[in-house]
Amino acid sequence: MLIVLNNKCNLTKDEFLSYQEKIATIDEEFVLCPSYTHLANFNLQNASLGAQNVSTTEMGAYTGEVAASQLSSFNVKYCLVGHSERRTYQHETYEETNKKIKELLKYDIIPILCVGESKEEKALNKTKDIIEKEILGAIQDLSDSEKLKLIIAYEPIWSIGTGNIPTPTEITEVLQIIKNIFPTNTLLYGGSVTEETVTTLQQCPLIDGYLLGGISLKVENLKNFLKKMTN
Ligand code: PGA
């Protein structure tokens, strides 16, 4: 199981350092995606480093951006792309997600491509169309060997941070759609993954791991979740 912690825009420097001490005692291996500001302070033996975002460009005169080569120089091994919060608040497009994936692959950073439908799209039975559109937009012009390097995270937008998750049948249907495009890639589920929802999620055989948002910051809950998951 691949466990990816997405801290989102949280933790000051001191908070991050004490958080890091606490998660250093976790037995399972995981990927930690802190804010950019904490990448240089990453110091865990039980985790790999991930980033939450990357520039669409190489280094240069792009104020405020962080390039894949810079992430790589901090030993970043994974990077989220296409997260719905970036699509919503930063209006990130499929084309930009595609450019980011290409930049990351140049520096051997594994892109974790997030896809998922909104509540309205689900109600209109558009989930399959949306998932396929998001994926095909993001992987345009990638070679077959490049496609193999991606990790895909199914994150229904209506589930993120709400406590609601799809049924195991619904999750399996969507992961099967993704598997038709990426037969051998690692597939994650994200969206309200908690100690409470893990039992339901464990009924989904196609889930290879989890992308954790809110619970990543609550260390005791996180540890309980991991205990339940490994039992
Ligand atoms: P959540 O967020 O676990 O708080 O629902 C998941 C995510 O946005 O990656």
Side-chain angles (χ1 to χ4, degrees), residues 127-143:
T127 302
K128 183 172 188 283
D129 290 353
I130 294 295
I131 301 290
E132 286 177 346
K133 206 165 137 191
E134 285 181 335
I135 291 178
L136 298 178
I139 64 173
Q140 242 185 19
D141 305 323
L142 294 193
S143 68

Side-chain angles (χ1 to χ4, degrees), residues 153-172:
Y154 171 46
E155 295 211 305
I157 299 172
W158 55 270
S159 169
I160 294 175
T162 63
N164 302 320
I165 59 165
T167 64
T169 310
E170 287 172 328
I171 294 176
T172 303

